[in-house]
């Protein structure tokens, strides 16, 4: 009958879903605070009890499974501070929005290698969120974020076609390390500034070579309409081709009047 502080279950092959479901239900009833579930089998979707999404003591929830996640209608996680969703398949971006909107103390959100079917859009609204990590395995059409308390923002994978990001007045660190320049760069060569324009309050910016490559395609008139990065004091650049990113780096320097530290990393 004791309470459970931390619980972790890792499965590397298909297991008895009914048995594991009963285990996890028992854990959720024991006022668990930190819960981590990892599976490599897409057939294990039935092991997650709906009771987990109404656990009032839960402070950390990590689900790493290649499954279609079913979220109940009555989500209630009043103490959840850390939410990590990895390798999950969602049947619509609204499920992520539903999860976050019912986590009233959420401070950290990770969306890593998650596939969104039907609607390729992520919409997040949280006034308590401080750290957000996105790794997009394929191009999302749109990413909407309303998080006025955000301090750390990391975006990997591919660029979205549209960004609707509200002001981040408390932003300290931003890391934009894309894995490739997607096809949208050919249709809209100014797409990279759709993201950069919302990060002007950042103090430390890490820019990867693919992101700088995307910025190098931006029209001069559009780039110089970007707001000045007055708070930026540290810029870290990772590149694999000076010819690809040199122009973008010069542009960033021109809109960063208070820069104190410039770090260049060569990657081959």
């Amino acid at each position: 009958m004791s309470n459970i502080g931390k619980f972790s279950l890792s499965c590397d092959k298909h297991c008895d879903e009914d048995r594991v479901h009963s285990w996890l239900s028992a854990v959720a009833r024991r006022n668990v605070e930190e819960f981590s579930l990892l599976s490599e089998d897409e057939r294990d979707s039935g092991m997650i009890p709906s009771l987990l999404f109404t656990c009032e003591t839960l402070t950390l929830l990590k689900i790493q499974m290649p499954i279609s996640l079913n979220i109940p209608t009555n989500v209630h996680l009043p103490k959840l501070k850390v939410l990590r969703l990895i390798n999950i398949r969602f049947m619509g971006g609204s499920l992520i929005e539903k999860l976050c909107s019912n986590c009233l103390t959420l401070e950290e959100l990770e969306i890593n290698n998650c596939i969104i079917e039907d609607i390729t859009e992520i919409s997040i609204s949280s006034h308590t969120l401080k750290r957000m990590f996105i790794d997009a395995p394929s191009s999302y059409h749109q990413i909407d974020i309303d998080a006025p308390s955000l301090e750390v923002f990391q975006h990997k994978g591919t660029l979205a076609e549209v960004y609707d990001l509200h002001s981040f007045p408390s932003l300290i660190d931003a890391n934009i390390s894309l894995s490739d320049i997607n096809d949208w760069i050919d249709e809209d060569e100014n797409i990279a500034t759709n993201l950069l324009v919302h990060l002007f309050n950042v103090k430390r910016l890490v820019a990867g070579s693919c992101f700088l490559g995307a910025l190098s395609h931006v029209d001069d008139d559009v780039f110089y309409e970007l707001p000045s990065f007055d708070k930026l004091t540290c810029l870290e650049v990772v590149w694999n081709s000076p010819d690809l990113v040199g122009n973008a780096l010069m542009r960033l320097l021109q809109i960063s009047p208070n820069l104190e530290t410039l770090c260049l990393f060569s990657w081959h």
Side-chain angles (χ1 to χ4, degrees):
M1 297 303 293
S2 300
N3 291 337
I4 297 177
K6 298 181 181 181
F7 176 86
S8 177
L9 176 64
S10 179
C11 308
D12 59 1
K13 59 183 179 181
H14 186 53
C15 57
D16 186 330
E17 290 184 56
D18 291 337
R19 178 176 294 183
V20 176
H21 183 280
S22 66
W23 294 349
L24 302 186
S25 296
V27 169
R29 293 189 183 97
R30 295 295 183 268
N31 297 323
V32 64
E33 296 179 16
E34 298 185 12
F35 184 99
S36 179
L37 180 60
L38 294 81
S39 173
E40 299 179 6
D41 198 304
E42 60 185 14
R43 295 171 294 175
D44 289 340
S45 58
M47 68 167 59
I48 303 177
S50 58
L51 185 64
L52 183 65
F53 297 98
T54 55
C55 183
E56 296 188 353
T57 56
L58 204 60
T59 61
L60 182 150
L61 175 60
K62 176 181 178 180
I63 301 177
Q64 181 174 339
M65 303 175 68
I67 62 168
S68 295
L69 184 63
N70 295 317
I71 300 175
T73 56
N74 59 332
V75 175
H76 182 58
L77 299 168
K79 293 186 178 181
L80 191 70
K81 294 184 180 296
V82 180
L83 176 60
R84 296 175 181 149
L85 306 171
I86 305 170
N87 296 343
I88 295 172
R89 184 178 300 274
F90 290 94
M91 300 305 293
S94 60
L95 293 180
I96 298 178
E97 180 180 8
K98 178 181 177 181
L99 257 178
C100 294
S101 63
N102 288 279
C103 301
L104 302 181
T105 60
L106 189 65
E107 295 183 0
E108 180 174 319
L109 173 63
E110 177 182 355
I111 301 173
N112 190 337
N113 200 38
C114 292
I115 302 296
I116 298 178
E117 297 183 351
D118 300 331
I119 304 174
T120 55
E121 178 179 336
I122 291 179
S123 182
I124 305 296
S125 179
S126 172
H127 283 222
T128 60
L129 191 64
K130 295 181 179 180
R131 299 173 297 277
M132 184 170 186
F133 308 93
I134 298 177
D135 193 337
S138 58
S139 300
Y140 296 139
H141 169 66
Q142 184 166 338
I143 296 178
D144 301 340
I145 304 174
D146 180 10
S149 300
L150 198 67
E151 298 176 355
V152 178
F153 178 67
Q154 179 176 288
H155 187 355
K156 295 184 177 181
T158 58
L159 281 170
E161 186 177 6
V162 178
Y163 289 91
D164 184 5
L165 310 183
H166 293 239
S167 174
F168 302 140
S170 303
L171 192 62
I172 298 174
D173 280 280
N175 185 330
I176 314 299
S177 302
L178 306 178
S179 57
D180 57 51
I181 302 176
N182 53 31
D183 295 337
W184 283 328
I185 200 72
D186 297 324
E187 302 175 10
D188 181 6
E189 55 188 20
N190 300 323
I191 189 172
T193 57
N194 295 342
L195 171 58
L196 185 63
V197 69
H198 298 284
L199 306 179
F200 66 92
N201 280 318
V202 71
K203 296 179 180 179
R204 172 179 173 267
L205 174 64
V206 178
S209 57
C210 283
F211 182 59
L212 289 171
L215 285 177
S216 68
H217 288 77
V218 175
D219 294 336
D220 287 337
D221 292 341
V222 173
F223 199 95
Y224 292 123
E225 289 179 358
L226 288 172
S228 179
F229 281 52
D230 293 333
K231 297 182 181 180
L232 185 65
T233 59
C234 180
L235 175 62
E236 299 182 15
V237 173
V238 182
W239 65 19
N240 55 8
S241 172
D243 294 335
L244 179 65
V245 303
N247 184 40
L249 174 58
M250 293 304 297
R251 290 173 165 186
L252 281 175
L253 292 176
Q254 290 171 351
I255 61 173
S256 307
N258 298 312
L259 194 67
E260 297 176 358
T261 304
L262 175 62
C263 300
L264 305 178
F265 301 95
S266 177
W267 174 78
H268 299 286

